Amino acid sequence: MIELRHIHFSYTDKPILKDVSFVVEDNESLVIMGPSGSGKSTILRLILGLEQPQQGELIIDGDNICTMKEKNKRKLRKKIGMVFQAGALFDSLSVGENVGYYLLEHTNMTLKNVSEKVVQMLGFVGLDAEEIIDTLPDELSGGMRRRVAIGRALLSTNPMIMLYDEPTTGLDPKATENVLNLIMKLHQEKTIASIMVTHEIIDALRVANRFIVIWAGEIAFDGTLEQLRSSDDPRVKEFLRPFLSSFTEVVQKRFVEGIATENNSASL
Amino acid sequence: MAFFAAVNNWLKHFAYELQGEFLLALKTIAAVFRRPFYLPEILEQMHIIGVGSLYLVILTGIFAGQGFALAFSVELADFGAKNYLGRIMAIAIIRELGPVLTGLMVAARVAAGITAEIGSMKSSNQLDAMVAFGIDPIKKLAVPRLIALIIMLPVLTIICDFISLAGSWVIAKYIAHVTTTVYLSAVRDRLIFGNLFIGLLKPVVFSFIIAFISCYKGFTSGGGTKGVGRATTESVVISSITILVVNFFITKIVFSQLKGWL
């Protein structure tokens, strides 16, 4: 479980997050939405301990990461898988070395064993290992890079929670579809919690059951899809306004799918 | 008033940068003695710094040595002291020219490379990814570069000294008409502890300067590719100036302390 309690964070004098509090339960799938510069990605960086809040507590599995020494933070990070914006793959290493990075750095596994695990993981994220294992990240498409990054995060830390920073930004519809399918597959098959940060509302609606809208560093909304649809908060309305037609379409589709799923479950 | 405000800001910025570089230096030195030890990275950096800079040092050394020898031989000939050419060249090259030229060449080539590499890793979140996977970027990136510089810069300096002395021998023999025996004997006369000590102390100190400044500029670069470009330029300029300033003070201090050995 991850809990943020009254987090305040600012860069020099510019406030980024103001009194942000929420809880993410085990196996929960949460999406944090908001316009660019609203402080979404900062939340992920705080959870990972890459930034230190000026006020507040951030509890991960009972430990407050804000008061921890770097050595203990390193241990805690093993429970967290992070997929950075644009993948953040090590561009001087091959795809295979990227995916097996953690195992090569932190374990005494033989190269053969690491290689086997890398091939398995690339298969899991839907990539042809034989074709890409020796290529450099620069030679991959944007969608493939994100999937390699997800594979690297999974193989690295065997995480209890996955953090995704804008995983579909800049991708074409097909690549977006692949990445979102992988995120959903991961959530269902590995049953690990996830927090996805995005400003792509339609993508957000597909992968999560709970939504947070951040507006100018504050939580403007925290709730389910139904609550989001009926929210009267002017900040939420303002954020949703440009996407209203596609938003309604996706919501209707999800409700239909939800009813279909319920019917299927009942008939079984 | 605007002038004083600008000076005040500049001084504040300078103090802040100095503090940052000092802290990074402390962290890097502490990390040298901590596990894990990245031997493959150290060897890779030794190759990049040492072998990669070799052609630069050889070219610089040979032409600088010849240029100096040419200038000195004309002046010494006026006093009938051409036979002292080897002696003067040995002192100039081993104490000053070799270490400073090598330091400046390596600063220009290697400092730029280090800052650009670390800076672009930072701008593409690769440093954050490293931290997320439990790797200390200072340990992984700064320490191997520092150790490689400490080992390779003195080696490159010795090569530069040798090449410069060989270059000046060509001038001595074929233009100044000083015999090889006289030239070598004069050079050998000045190959004494004090000169060799200064000549090898300087590259070690310059290694720290290049490593700390270039890594600091890389780790603190910001503002995308433009910011990385700016940090790279600053890294080379600051490293070069610092090398020249520190070179003077080393010469001055060692001169006063090692007078009997020189």
Side-chain angles (χ1 to χ4, degrees):
Chain A
M1 188 181 80
I2 293 179
E3 186 178 2
L4 279 77
R5 292 180 190 159
H6 308 291
I7 294 287
H8 290 258
F9 179 78
S10 56
Y11 282 117
T12 55
D13 292 335
K14 190 185 168 201
I16 306 292
L17 296 174
K18 300 167 205 162
D19 197 24
V20 169
S21 300
F22 63 85
V23 177
V24 187
E25 298 291 346
D26 294 342
N27 199 24
E28 191 175 15
S29 180
L30 166 74
V31 166
I32 302 173
M33 301 183 286
S36 297
S38 56
K40 311 182 294 292
S41 298
T42 307
I43 292 176
L44 299 189
R45 294 178 64 79
L46 286 165
I47 292 172
L48 207 55
L50 296 175
E51 306 284 357
Q52 187 78 5
Q54 279 78 30
Q55 279 181 51
E57 292 179 322
L58 208 158
I59 314 293
I60 300 175
D61 262 5
D63 297 314
N64 185 1
I65 196 165
C66 306
T67 55
M68 262 183 201
K69 286 185 176 169
E70 190 57 36
K71 192 179 163 188
N72 296 329
K73 277 185 189 173
R74 267 183 228 137
K75 280 182 194 163
L76 193 68
R77 285 186 190 118
K78 289 181 183 173
K79 297 177 182 176
I80 305 168
M82 173 82 177
V83 178
F84 288 89
Q85 205 168 354
L89 298 175
F90 302 118
D91 48 18
S92 58
L93 303 181
S94 70
V95 167
E97 288 166 331
N98 261 287
V99 176
Y101 188 76
Y102 185 88
L103 300 179
L104 291 168
E105 287 288 338
H106 291 293
T107 67
N108 293 324
M109 284 173 75
T110 60
L111 269 176
K112 195 183 165 209
N113 288 344
V114 172
S115 183
E116 280 169 9
K117 286 200 172 282
V118 167
V119 170
Q120 274 174 15
M121 184 49 70
L122 286 172
F124 179 78
V125 297
L127 293 168
D128 183 351
E130 262 185 41
E131 199 181 305
I132 65 161
I133 196 162
D134 292 323
T135 57
L136 289 172
D138 280 352
E139 298 167 46
L140 302 178
S141 67
M144 287 166 102
R145 272 206 291 271
R146 306 294 163 90
R147 282 190 278 167
V148 170
I150 293 172
R152 180 178 67 172
L154 283 174
L155 195 58
S156 297
T157 55
N158 198 16
M160 63 158 211
I161 184 161
M162 286 291 290
L163 310 178
Y164 303 97
D165 190 2
E166 309 266 11
T168 58
T169 301
L171 298 184
D172 62 58
K174 177 72 183 159
T176 300
E177 179 78 15
N178 286 335
V179 171
L180 291 179
N181 284 342
L182 177 60
I183 291 172
M184 287 190 286
K185 176 184 166 188
L186 205 58
H187 184 64
Q188 285 155 6
E189 288 185 12
K190 303 252 179 190
T191 59
I192 47 181
S194 70
I195 303 177
M196 180 168 125
V197 154
T198 185
H199 58 261
E200 310 274 355
I201 295 179
I202 308 308
D203 297 347
L205 296 178
R206 284 195 51 197
V207 298
N209 296 315
R210 185 179 154 211
F211 307 88
I212 286 179
V213 176
I214 296 274
W215 191 271
E218 291 175 338
I219 292 186
F221 173 84
D222 182 354
T224 62
L225 183 61
E226 179 62 19
Q227 290 165 332
L228 183 67
R229 192 168 62 154
S230 55
S231 173
D232 287 331
D233 191 303
R235 296 169 298 180
V236 176
K237 284 188 168 180
E238 174 68 23
F239 177 63
L240 294 178
R241 197 165 46 83
F243 311 94
L244 215 51
S245 59
S246 32
F247 176 68
T248 313
E249 193 183 309
V250 174
V251 170
Q252 279 170 351
K253 195 177 165 208
R254 273 200 60 168
F255 272 99
V256 170
E257 280 171 358
I259 291 162
T261 314
E262 278 170 23
N263 288 345
N264 283 343
S265 309
S267 63
L268 286 170
Chain B
M1 284 305 281
F3 171 75
F4 288 114
V7 170
N8 184 36
N9 282 342
W10 185 85
L11 285 173
K12 271 186 193 167
H13 179 72
F14 179 74
Y16 180 77
E17 291 270 298
L18 209 61
Q19 174 189 293
E21 275 165 32
F22 184 68
L23 286 175
L24 177 74
L26 286 182
K27 283 180 189 171
T28 309
I29 290 169
V32 168
F33 304 101
R34 235 182 22 238
R35 282 176 180 277
F37 303 111
Y38 295 109
L39 191 60
E41 278 81 358
I42 294 171
L43 293 174
E44 189 191 358
Q45 288 305 318
M46 281 171 67
H47 177 79
I48 292 169
I49 294 165
V51 180
S53 307
L54 202 56
Y55 71 96
L56 209 59
V57 167
I58 289 174
L59 277 175
T60 317
I62 200 158
F63 287 108
Q66 288 186 335
F68 268 69
L70 205 55
F72 280 134
S73 65
V74 174
E75 287 300 313
L76 289 172
D78 288 348
F79 297 98
K82 275 195 308 187
N83 288 349
Y84 287 99
L85 184 63
R87 199 180 168 101
I88 288 175
M89 288 310 296
I91 293 172
I93 288 169
I94 292 168
R95 278 195 210 162
E96 300 295 325
L97 211 56
V100 172
L101 274 180
T102 310
L104 290 177
M105 288 302 118
V106 172
R109 187 182 162 273
V110 175
I114 292 173
T115 306
E117 189 181 353
I118 297 177
S120 57
M121 284 181 84
K122 192 189 176 203
S123 69
S124 57
N125 284 331
Q126 290 178 53
L127 295 184
D128 287 338
M130 220 174 242
V131 176
F133 296 135
I135 310 285
D136 177 4
I138 290 177
K139 180 89 202 153
K140 180 82 175 174
L141 300 172
V143 170
R145 282 157 178 79
L146 172 67
I147 294 174
L149 274 164
I150 289 173
I151 295 169
M152 293 316 294
L153 203 56
V155 173
L156 287 169
T157 303
I158 291 169
I159 293 170
C160 183
D161 290 350
F162 181 78
I163 295 287
S164 295
L165 285 170
S168 62
W169 167 78
V170 172
I171 299 297
K173 185 171 170 59
Y174 295 102
I175 294 178
H177 305 295
V178 176
T179 64
T180 304
T181 316
V182 170
Y183 177 81
L184 287 181
S185 152
V187 168
R188 237 188 338 260
D189 272 355
R190 300 322 297 157
L191 290 180
I192 51 174
F193 170 76
N195 288 337
L196 296 175
F197 177 75
I198 296 182
L200 288 176
L201 173 71
K202 283 179 179 178
V204 173
V205 177
F206 297 163
S207 306
F208 285 95
I209 291 170
I210 296 170
F212 293 147
I213 291 175
S214 59
C215 288
Y216 174 77
K217 284 290 170 189
F219 283 127
T220 56
S221 69
T225 46
K226 201 176 171 184
V228 174
R230 194 171 48 236
T232 304
T233 311
E234 285 175 3
S235 166
V236 174
V237 171
I238 297 172
S239 302
S240 304
I241 292 171
T242 312
I243 282 172
L244 290 171
V245 173
V246 169
N247 175 61
F248 166 76
F249 284 107
I250 293 177
T251 306
K252 180 87 183 91
I253 292 165
V254 175
F255 244 62
S256 58
Q257 298 299 318
L258 285 182
K259 229 170 190 172
W261 300 89
L262 295 167

